[in-house]
Amino acid sequence: MPVDPDLFRTAMARLPGGVTVLSTRWKDADHAATVSSVLSASLDPPIIVVSLHADSRIRDALDQVDTWGLSILADDQAPIADWLASPGRPVIGQLSRVPHHRAPESGAAWVDGASAWVDCRTRQIVPAGDHDLVLGDVLAVREGRSDAGALVHLRRRVHPLR
Ligand SMILES: Cc1cc2nc3c(=O)[nH]c(=O)nc-3n(C[C@H](O)[C@H](O)[C@H](O)COP(=O)(O)O)c2cc1C
């Protein structure tokens, strides 16, 4: 029996995931998107894996530049997650209303007020169906406020968690 894609989607939506913003800087423009398929894959060496839709603009950008940043969003940052997941938003200026600073190695945008930040260089990209798994070597890490909560993607909604 083939797996029902709707059932697969709703079943996996019960697996909670932390919400992040992945960003990269290419040709003086900040590309950024909300991403919850993030895995801390290895501690030694530190490696992160993200799963990106193969047809997404953020995935295309990673063909042009091999460094990128992740901001692990805090509980009060749902509007940023919504905005950077909205289809058709312009690339140019999409971060103009999102306060950010620069990651030390990649120069990617790190969202101000996030719970933690990671800076990465792509080690390998593995095709996985309609997504690509992007493995990144961790170049730098920073922690945000000690009292920051989290945003959790569960059952297709984003929930604040403190
Ligand atoms: C909470 C949440 C989590 C998401 N996680 C992912 C993800 O892990 N991978 C992915 O490719 N898209 C994910 N998306 C969808 C992208 O954010 C969305 O398609 C975005 O527009 C992609 O940006 P782009 O069109 O500039 O590439 C997520 C959306 C939301 C709201």
Side-chain angles (χ1 to χ4, degrees), residues 19 32-38 51-53 55-59 81-82 84-89 91 94 131 153 157-158:
V19 179
T34 302
V35 171
S36 62
S37 308
V38 179
S51 177
L52 298 180
H53 198 285
D55 292 336
S56 62
R57 296 175 299 180
I58 191 72
R59 167 67 190 89
D82 288 344
L84 293 174
S86 51
R89 68 191 183 284
V91 168
Q94 67 180 319
H131 280 60
H153 192 206
R157 292 191 54 202
V158 168

